[in-house]
């Protein structure tokens, strides 16, 4: 998965290799993750609706919004996924 590879690359750039054992990057679907109070910290890479990019591009080109790039239903779907990921992260983190 491209997002996972990018996240691993960024972490390895900023976190010393001696600390590799302190974190894990998993391919699991975090919306279905049911671990409770297991982790001190949880970092979640959530999908973005890219609304800002779509609007910026429309303004720059002075063109209409490409329906393939943005739709209200797409934003709603991303919002639902983001909420599920946040809930899973909060549940997995220790109080």
């Amino acid at each position: 998965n491209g997002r996972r590879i990018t996240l691993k690359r960024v972490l390895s750039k900023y976190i010393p290799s001696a600390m590799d054992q302190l974190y894990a990057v998993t391919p699991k679907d975090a919306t279905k993750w049911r671990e409770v109070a297991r982790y001190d910290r949880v970092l979640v890479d959530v999908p973005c609706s890219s609304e800002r990019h779509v609007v910026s591009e429309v303004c720059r080109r002075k063109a209409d919004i490409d329906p393939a790039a943005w739709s209200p239903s797409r934003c709603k779907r991303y919002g639902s996924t983001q909420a599920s990921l946040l809930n899973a992260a909060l549940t997995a983190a220790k109080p």
Side-chain angles (χ1 to χ4, degrees):
N1 177 309
R3 292 176 72 95
R4 190 172 62 243
I5 292 167
T6 301
L7 179 58
K8 283 182 176 182
R9 188 177 66 245
V10 170
L11 289 172
S12 68
K13 182 177 179 180
Y14 293 101
I15 298 176
S17 59
M19 300 178 80
D20 283 350
Q21 296 79 21
L22 300 178
Y23 68 89
V25 177
T26 70
K28 297 177 183 177
D29 181 349
T31 62
K32 297 179 175 117
W33 203 338
R34 300 294 174 244
E35 303 211 24
V36 178
R38 180 171 175 192
Y39 303 98
D40 294 323
R41 293 171 189 87
V42 178
L43 173 68
V44 182
D45 182 24
V46 299
C48 172
S49 66
S50 298
E51 287 179 310
R52 182 181 66 82
H53 301 291
V54 172
V55 171
S56 296
E57 185 65 17
V58 167
C59 291
R60 188 180 67 75
R61 292 184 310 149
K62 296 187 174 26
D64 292 335
I65 293 175
D66 177 7
W70 183 88
S71 71
S73 63
R74 182 178 180 186
C75 289
K76 194 174 199 177
R77 189 172 58 250
Y78 277 130
S80 177
T81 300
Q82 291 166 345
S84 294
L85 291 169
L86 176 61
N87 186 49
L90 291 172
T91 301
K94 293 177 183 175

